[in-house]
Amino acid sequence: MQIIKTIEELRPILKEFRRQGLRVGLVPTMGYLHEGHKSLIVKAVSENDRVIVSDFVNPTQFGVNEDLSSYPRDIERDAALCEEAGAALIFHPEPEEMYFPDNCTFVDMDQLTKGLCGKTRPTHFRGVCTVVSKLFHIVMPDRAYFGQKDAQQLAVIRRMVRDLNFDITIVGCPIVREADGLAMSSRNTYLSPEERKAALILHKSLQIGEEMMRAGERDALKIKTAIQANMETEVLARVDYVEIVDADSLEQVTIIEKPVLTATAVYIGNTRLIDNFTYEP
Ligand code: AMP
């Protein structure tokens, strides 16, 4: 698997792909890849002639007290997974390659980024929009693949692509879970065995909400309260938020009439985990 570390090396390769009329797919990741990432790469491979996986722990999307320095990294393992999934190459830059020391240009968004994860992570989506814009400019893919696991991120990227006229199709991919239901995440490696068991509370509690919706309940507050109450039965869990929002605008809803996103973030010990489901009445 070819691991490209500089923009200068990457550009001529991409130029040649385009000269040959090849369709290029991009899968942006922060590395420490698992089956969730792999599902994105496999889908991208099925829809494009060449797939680029970016593997970059992006400093600008981490807050000051977050886990930038401890975020797990293993490029050799990532390369093996990309090879198996059929990617053409990995773009694995150092932070200095992506950001000039005096970088002062950012991409930010007014709507969609204030609620949900944006409340606890006020600078997160500015970092995400900035790095994804940069990757889009560097790679200029036909399609880019994002997981529904990070539902707010997916909605934000779709909106950014619309607002800034990127000529790129955004493809959303379903959440891949462990056999017991825990959504796969690179951050799951932080969990102790006890915490790993406790982490199941996210999916289990969301399932309660989903069952209520399927049974015809339309009062968002009632559903949120039931989800929250179930989360609180787990002593190791500390809920950051449970929200039911419009799946497109991410605005809070009171009555469920249109497609909704039910999303949660929960601290299990020191590890902040997210999960969600979408429901169309
Ligand atoms: P990350 O490396 O965590 O930034 O994730 C890179 C991409 O993989 C994002 O688009 C995520 O939404 C997606 N992803 C991460 N975990 C999963 C999962 N369990 N299922 C599906 N997609 C995922």
Side-chain angles (χ1 to χ4, degrees):
M1 173 64 27
Q2 202 177 3
I3 301 174
I4 304 279
K5 297 193 68 98
T6 67
I7 299 165
E8 198 187 344
E9 284 172 279
L10 182 60
R11 282 213 158 118
I13 297 173
L14 291 162
K15 212 169 180 178
E16 180 57 21
F17 288 167
R18 278 192 292 276
R19 198 191 59 77
Q20 293 178 26
L22 301 173
R23 293 163 304 172
V24 173
L26 170 68
V27 183
T29 81
M30 296 210 300
Y32 213 71
L33 305 179
H34 50 65
E35 290 297 315
H37 298 110
K38 194 174 178 182
S39 73
L40 270 57
I41 303 169
V42 166
K43 179 146 177 74
V45 167
S46 76
E47 296 179 347
N48 300 276
D49 301 305
R50 296 287 185 276
V51 170
I52 317 295
V53 177
S54 64
D55 189 311
F56 177 58
V57 182
N58 173 40
T60 63
Q61 70 189 70
F62 287 79
V64 275
N65 294 318
E66 292 182 358
D67 56 342
L68 173 61
S69 58
S70 57
Y71 198 85
R73 292 159 167 92
D74 188 343
I75 188 66
E76 294 309 322
R77 202 169 133 263
D78 291 352
L81 184 143
C82 287
E83 178 101 51
E84 216 177 274
L89 62 86
I90 301 182
F91 178 50
H92 180 53
E94 294 297 326
E96 301 74 45
E97 179 68 11
M98 290 297 278
Y99 295 102
F100 290 95
D102 58 349
N103 180 85
C104 55
T105 309
F106 295 91
V107 180
D108 209 350
M109 190 177 289
D110 290 341
Q111 306 294 318
L112 282 81
T113 59
K114 305 292 175 237
L116 306 175
C117 288
K119 257 191 193 154
T120 324
R121 309 185 75 191
T123 58
H124 174 66
F125 289 105
R126 182 173 94 140
V128 169
C129 288
T130 301
V131 79
V132 171
S133 296
K134 286 164 76 71
L135 290 168
F136 283 178
H137 286 305
I138 294 164
V139 176
M140 292 198 277
D142 297 283
R143 298 184 189 79
Y145 296 77
F146 294 87
Q148 182 64 31
K149 157 86 188 333
D150 298 83
Q152 186 175 16
Q153 170 173 278
L154 176 57
V156 164
I157 298 295
R158 283 191 196 285
R159 185 63 67 95
M160 180 184 82
V161 162
R162 188 200 74 174
D163 288 354
L164 296 185
N165 309 98
F166 281 103
D167 189 14
I168 296 170
T169 303
I170 301 302
V171 183
C173 305
I175 302 176
V176 176
R177 297 179 180 282
E178 302 286 354
D180 60 5
L182 177 66
M184 288 191 183
S185 165
S186 308
R187 290 191 167 96
N188 291 348
T189 52
Y190 297 149
L191 302 169
S192 70
E194 204 187 5
E195 290 170 340
R196 171 65 184 77
K197 272 186 219 148
L200 282 179
I201 200 69
L202 279 84
H203 183 51
K204 279 190 189 151
S205 306
L206 288 176
Q207 278 182 313
I208 290 174
E210 196 170 0
E211 278 159 26
M212 287 172 79
M213 288 185 199
R214 285 193 198 291
E217 181 60 64
R218 293 290 173 262
D219 182 337
L221 182 60
K222 255 192 196 165
I223 299 167
K224 269 197 302 197
T225 308
I227 295 172
Q228 175 107 22
N230 197 68
M231 297 277 194
E232 283 164 7
T233 63
E234 172 52 63
V235 289
L236 295 180
R238 184 166 57 83
V239 177
D240 179 6
Y241 68 80
V242 176
E243 295 289 359
I244 301 179
V245 297
D246 181 277
D248 182 48
S249 70
L250 305 188
E251 276 167 22
Q252 287 204 16
V253 301
T254 45
I255 303 294
I256 296 161
E257 297 167 317
K258 291 198 290 180
V260 288
L261 167 71
T262 306
T264 188
V266 178
Y267 291 91
I268 304 290
N270 292 323
T271 305
R272 187 173 177 280
L273 299 177
I274 56 172
D275 201 349
N276 70 82
F277 68 92
T278 47
Y279 179 78
E280 292 188 32

